[in-house]
Amino acid sequence: MGNRLGQNLSLIILSLVLAFFFWAVATETGDPTEERAYATAIPIEILGVSQDRMAAYGAENAKARVVLRAPRSLWEILQPEDIHAYVNLSSTEPGKNIVVPVTVDVLRGPAQIVEYSPDNITLSLEALAEKDVPVLVVVDGTPALGFVARPPTYVPQTVTVRGPESLVAEVIRAQLRIPVKEQRQNVTGDLQAQPVDQAGNLINYVEVIPKSVSVSVPIEQLGNIRDMAVRVILLDEPADGYRVSRVTVDPPIVTVIGRQDVLQNMTGFLETDPVSLSAANASFTATVGLQMPEG
């Protein structure tokens, strides 16, 4: 009796093992397991940092390359969000150039992590600091001929810089540049100021609050300068059977400098020296002077 029960139990176990084996073979044949590198690099998240007290920097763009083992059907639907790469700084002491281990988890089974790189990353962890610094607006370039840029006005004139303590200490001012090259009218804009040190070098990892500064640069025209249109004077007639279809001039407007009383009495245009069309039978380009009054 006991022997028969033992034989039956052995047969049952053997049957289960064989059933599992054939199931595994069938599954692997229909949905084989594949091992390969995931195509997308996974951003490495920084965890365990109190955002209102500490600042971690130097590894903002760190990414992990991951090799996975998973059924083919899972590879077809696997997304970057299903893989989590991170470092945990909750027990890390502050300092510069700290080496911390990277951890990678796969959030969708039955995928498995085979390997990943890098195994660790280097970053810095410091106390968060902030201070107020003045804004400096640099007017870049010169306006058009006959115009002058007056000193800029801007709001606010002081901003707050916030970031790692050692880097905030290097910031002397928040600087921005506003271009006025060849401008003939006031230049305004909301521009972002950059934190810089005494030498004007940009300090990275430091935030400027508020993010933009409203700037206005008045552009004024000088009293003895005037912009005037150019009018082309044509003489004679083209060849028989031809006519003038179009006349273009470059530049169409010129800036005239002279005595203020002379400029005020001038019309709104300057005439060119005469351009002869005598017997012309094709388009042509001519360089001519302008008829300028005395003064």
Side-chain angles (χ1 to χ4, degrees), residues 224-235:
N224 61 341
I225 293 181
R226 182 178 176 185
D227 289 339
M228 305 188 73
V230 176
R231 186 168 72 176
V232 180
I233 302 300
L234 302 177
L235 292 181

Side-chain angles (χ1 to χ4, degrees), residues 166-185:
S166 65
L167 300 181
V168 167
E170 296 182 30
V171 179
I172 300 300
R173 59 183 177 271
Q175 182 172 300
L176 61 88
R177 309 183 77 88
I178 183 167
V180 300
K181 184 178 180 180
E182 298 301 324
Q183 292 296 319
R184 298 170 179 265
Q185 58 187 2

Side-chain angles (χ1 to χ4, degrees), residues 22-36 69-78 108-111:
F22 288 117
W23 173 83
V25 171
T27 300
E28 182 65 22
T29 301
D31 191 13
T33 298
E34 297 180 357
E35 180 180 309
R36 63 176 188 256
R69 182 184 295 114
R72 180 179 297 171
S73 60
L74 184 56
W75 277 107
E76 295 174 355
I77 62 173
L78 200 63
R108 185 189 290 267

Side-chain angles (χ1 to χ4, degrees), residues 1-14:
M1 184 69 178
N3 290 337
R4 181 175 297 177
L5 181 61
Q7 290 175 355
N8 290 339
L9 183 59
S10 298
L11 289 173
I12 292 172
I13 294 174
L14 179 61

Side-chain angles (χ1 to χ4, degrees), residues 144-147 182 184 221 224-232 249-258 263 266-273 288-293:
L145 181 64
F147 293 81
E182 298 301 324
R184 298 170 179 265
Q221 188 169 14
N224 61 341
I225 293 181
R226 182 178 176 185
D227 289 339
M228 305 188 73
V230 176
R231 186 168 72 176
V232 180
V249 58
D250 181 29
I253 296 176
V254 295
T255 300
V256 180
I257 304 174
L263 295 181
M266 292 178 66
T267 58
F269 57 86
L270 282 179
E271 294 182 341
T272 66
D273 292 334
V288 294
L290 294 170
Q291 298 184 37
M292 300 291 293

Side-chain angles (χ1 to χ4, degrees), residues 115-162:
E115 63 180 4
Y116 58 85
S117 64
D119 296 326
N120 53 64
I121 59 174
T122 302
L123 50 75
S124 298
L125 181 65
E126 291 188 46
L128 202 62
E130 63 179 42
K131 69 178 181 181
D132 294 338
V133 296
V135 174
L136 174 64
V137 176
V138 178
V139 177
D140 198 1
T142 56
L145 181 64
F147 293 81
V148 62
R150 299 304 183 189
T153 59
Y154 48 94
V155 177
Q157 296 187 347
T158 301
V159 295
T160 300
V161 291
R162 186 171 188 263

